[in-house]
Amino acid sequence: MDKIAKMKQQKRYEEYVKGKTPVHNVYFNMLKAFITGGSICLVGQIIFHYCKSLSLPKDVCSSWTSLLLILLSVLLTGINVYPTLAKWGGAGALVPITGFANSVAAPAIEYKKEGQVFGIGCKIFTIAGPVILYGIFTSWILGLIYWFFNLF
């Protein structure tokens, strides 16, 4: 191929890639994440205030709130609603405790057909495993730094 033909082919390829690459509006995505995350937090606040109206202690209300949000997330993952919510809301659905529950439930559902041990057992923490690992590692490092500075 001569140089001009290669340049034309490269230009056609660049136009093809540009046509296939989705265009995202960062401000609209931030708004969707805010609405999604805020809605999840609103549900959590409603649960918490309902528990408070039953005269439960604050720590018990917090526990019930966490448990019910996790349960709701797993149920919505099981009926394939949470992935749609996460696709629309982005980080707003993935960051809270519900996103973590989704990241554990989704692989369990996906690999269920491979069996209890090699399916669910091996794959359940595929997504959540690195979060747990680096969370524990970071808290360990920060604990060491805190301990070191308290020595002096």
Side-chain angles (χ1 to χ4, degrees):
M1 274 187 159
D2 64 331
K3 191 173 185 177
I4 295 174
K6 282 186 179 183
M7 288 174 59
K8 286 182 180 179
Q9 183 181 14
Q10 179 68 26
K11 185 161 180 70
R12 280 195 311 263
Y13 177 72
E14 288 172 6
E15 289 172 1
Y16 171 77
V17 169
K18 187 176 181 181
K20 291 293 183 180
T21 304
V23 179
H24 298 287
N25 183 336
V26 70
Y27 298 108
F28 186 61
N29 287 346
M30 288 176 12
L31 177 65
K32 291 191 302 186
F34 178 78
I35 290 169
T36 305
S39 299
I40 292 169
C41 292
L42 177 65
V43 170
Q45 281 300 123
I46 290 169
I47 295 168
F48 183 83
H49 286 295
Y50 177 73
C51 290
K52 286 297 275 182
S53 73
L54 298 175
S55 300
L56 295 173
K58 187 177 179 181
D59 59 338
V60 174
C61 293
S62 299
S63 298
W64 274 108
T65 302
S66 297
L67 287 170
L68 290 174
L69 284 173
I70 290 169
L71 175 66
L72 186 62
S73 173
V74 170
L75 290 175
L76 291 176
T77 300
I79 60 174
N80 207 26
V81 171
Y82 202 89
T84 306
L85 177 70
K87 185 174 181 170
W88 186 83
L94 299 177
V95 173
I97 191 170
T98 54
F100 188 77
N102 173 54
S103 72
V104 174
I109 293 167
E110 183 178 346
Y111 294 104
K112 182 177 79 170
K113 63 183 175 268
E114 295 180 23
Q116 294 290 320
V117 175
F118 293 112
I120 297 172
C122 291
K123 302 289 186 175
I124 195 165
F125 291 111
T126 302
I127 300 169
V131 175
I132 296 169
L133 170 70
Y134 290 113
I136 291 171
F137 180 72
T138 302
S139 65
W140 185 78
I141 294 294
L142 291 174
L144 267 177
I145 293 169
Y146 178 77
W147 173 76
F148 181 74
F149 281 115
N150 278 336
L151 287 177
F152 299 106

